[in-house]
């Protein structure tokens, strides 16, 4: 009875784009006013911003998160370690973030949501994106992974262990296969311009999960900001719908909080899920009194074609 009741309900899912230290108590209140059933965080909370992650971890709404490249800013690279603002022999801010999020951090893992009849599967945590395997020492130390192939296997293993038929994939960077123009959801918009900068391991993991018979209505991610570096005449393409009907959403609307005189506006991507089908995706801005001040519809489910009698 529970599954039948859940399947008939339209789920309202909020996707929070790259935070970059822009998270306030009011964001949690705004999510309550929006009446969401689930919140997904695509990472980049800040440069190993433990305090931001602590605030998000305390949010009492069903949630899942994946870590972004900035969340290991002082740990994963030589130049980052040289700039590290804390004593690495006494503290580990990456570990602190992971400890705070606990099971809600789904990178290389999954989280089942029985009340929603779905599972969220995480892509590669701390991803920088692109066609080259980077930061081998970091991934080997933290996850025992040394290649795209091994990374794909970790994601697929998580997907196969999902308790539910319906799977949402959550990544920091999106998968390969969404286009190679700089304006595409994961397109490279810096010099040399052009090329698919998506994660090959996530793309392959999605393909294998489809082959395994799972239903994937939504793949959502961030990292590649909507505001393009090479032009201000248009935003990045934020939605891609595959032939299989999977909706890919780039939620990286940055900055996600803007000030308008004496008040602020904060954005969330809102996904409506009917059964195992995405019916609508919108970008909303919440302003004073936590009311929606604007809503941009990014996607609506195509209407069924009615054959003539």
């Amino acid at each position: 009875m529970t599954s039948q009741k859940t399947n008939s309900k339209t789920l309202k899912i909020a996707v929070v784009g790259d935070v970059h230290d822009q998270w306030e108590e009011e964001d949690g209140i705004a999510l309550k006013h929006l009446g969401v059933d689930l919140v997904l965080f695509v990472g980049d909370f800040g440069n190993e911003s433990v305090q931001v992650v602590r605030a998000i971890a305390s949010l009492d709404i069903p949630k899942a998160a994946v870590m972004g490249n900035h969340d290991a800013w002082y740990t994963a690279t030589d130049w980052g370690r040289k700039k590290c603002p804390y004593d690495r022999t006494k503290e580990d801010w990456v570990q602190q973030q992971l400890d705070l999020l606990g099971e809600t951090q789904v990178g290389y893992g999954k989280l089942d949501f029985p009340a929603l009849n779905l599972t969220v599967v995480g892509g590669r945590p701390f991803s920088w994106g692109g066609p080259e395997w980077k930061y081998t020492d970091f991934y080997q130390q933290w996850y025992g992974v040394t290649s795209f192939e091994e990374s794909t296997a970790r994601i697929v293993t998580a997907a196969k262990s999902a308790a539910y038929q319906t799977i949402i994939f959550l990544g920091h960077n999106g998968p390969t296969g969404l286009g190679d123009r700089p304006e595409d959801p994961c397109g490279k918009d810096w010099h040399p311009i052009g090329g698919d900068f998506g994660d090959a391991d996530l793309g392959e993991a999605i393909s294998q999960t489809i082959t395994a018979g799972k239903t994937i209505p939504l793949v959502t991610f961030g990292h590649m900001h909507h505001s393009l570096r090479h032009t201000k005449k248009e935003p990045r393409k934020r939605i891609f719908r595959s032939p299989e009907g999977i909706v890919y959403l780039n939620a990286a609307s940055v900055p996600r909080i803007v000030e308008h005189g004496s008040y602020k506006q904060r954005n969330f991507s809102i996904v409506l899920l009917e059964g195992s089908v995405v019916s609508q995706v919108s970008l909303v801005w919440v302003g004073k009194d936590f009311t929606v001040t604007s809503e941009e519809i990014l996607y609506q489910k195509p209407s069924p074609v009615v054959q003539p009698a």
Side-chain angles (χ1 to χ4, degrees):
M1 288 298 292
T2 302
S3 294
Q4 292 175 359
K5 190 173 183 180
T6 301
N7 287 340
S8 66
K9 176 190 176 185
T10 297
L11 297 180
K12 192 174 190 180
I13 302 169
V15 186
V16 179
D18 297 27
V19 173
H20 291 300
D21 290 308
Q22 288 193 314
W23 182 264
E24 300 171 343
E25 182 181 359
E26 289 80 2
D27 285 295
I29 299 171
L31 287 167
K32 293 281 190 180
H33 278 264
L34 288 168
V36 301
D37 300 290
L38 176 66
V39 187
L40 304 176
F41 292 90
V42 304
D44 269 7
F45 301 107
N47 292 346
E48 301 189 16
S49 294
V50 174
Q51 294 303 322
V52 172
V53 171
R54 178 175 286 109
I56 287 170
S58 69
L59 185 68
D60 64 343
I61 300 174
K63 60 185 178 294
V66 69
M67 310 306 286
N69 57 300
H70 279 264
D71 303 317
W73 197 248
Y74 303 118
T75 301
T77 66
D78 287 336
W79 57 263
R81 287 188 286 270
K82 290 175 183 175
K83 297 178 180 179
C84 188
Y86 61 93
D87 186 343
R88 299 177 57 80
T89 65
K90 297 179 180 178
E91 294 184 276
D92 187 335
W93 289 3
V94 170
Q95 188 63 59
Q96 287 182 43
Q97 292 174 91
L98 294 172
D99 289 344
L100 284 164
L101 290 169
E103 67 173 6
T104 61
Q105 199 293 122
V106 295
Y108 280 155
K110 57 92 178 182
L111 187 57
D112 299 313
F113 290 92
L116 307 180
N117 201 33
L118 61 81
T119 298
V120 177
V121 174
R124 174 174 19 121
F126 305 104
S127 171
W128 271 257
E132 298 179 3
W133 182 257
K134 297 180 180 179
Y135 314 118
T136 300
D137 292 345
F138 174 81
Y139 281 107
Q140 186 169 25
Q141 176 186 346
W142 283 84
Y143 299 104
V145 170
T146 61
S147 66
F148 282 121
E149 292 75 17
E150 292 178 0
S151 184
T152 296
R154 285 289 297 267
I155 302 168
V156 171
T157 296
K160 287 183 175 179
S161 71
Y164 299 98
Q165 173 68 19
T166 300
I167 288 178
I168 292 174
F169 274 96
L170 176 62
H172 177 56
N173 190 39
T176 52
L178 305 185
D180 58 6
R181 296 171 62 250
E183 299 83 13
D184 284 328
C186 300
K188 185 171 179 287
D189 65 318
W190 62 93
H191 185 75
I193 198 166
D196 188 339
F197 211 70
D199 285 348
D201 46 353
L202 181 55
E204 178 61 23
I206 291 168
S207 178
Q208 291 187 31
T209 303
I210 294 171
T211 302
K214 292 289 189 179
T215 301
I216 309 170
L218 175 68
V219 178
T220 189
F221 51 90
H223 187 52
M224 309 295 273
H225 297 180
H226 293 174
S227 179
L228 295 165
R229 303 188 194 188
H230 73 290
T231 179
K232 300 304 175 189
K233 295 180 179 179
E234 60 178 311
R236 181 181 298 281
K237 184 179 178 183
R238 294 159 287 179
I239 291 284
F240 178 92
R241 184 177 183 271
S242 75
E244 300 88 1
I246 301 172
V247 173
Y248 294 80
L249 167 64
N250 179 329
S253 178
V254 179
R256 60 167 304 273
I257 299 177
V258 296
E259 293 195 24
H260 290 279
S262 61
Y263 69 96
K264 297 178 180 179
Q265 288 186 321
R266 54 199 78 243
N267 74 65
F268 304 91
S269 294
I270 300 295
V271 178
L272 301 183
L273 188 65
E274 296 179 2
S276 295
V277 177
V278 172
S279 59
Q280 181 177 292
V281 180
S282 59
L283 179 68
V284 303
W285 287 89
V286 176
K288 289 187 292 187
D289 302 321
F290 303 103
T291 57
V292 174
T293 57
S294 69
E295 179 181 25
E296 180 184 2
I297 305 297
L298 304 179
Y299 169 83
Q300 283 189 311
K301 180 179 66 175
S303 300
V305 177
V306 179
Q307 298 295 336

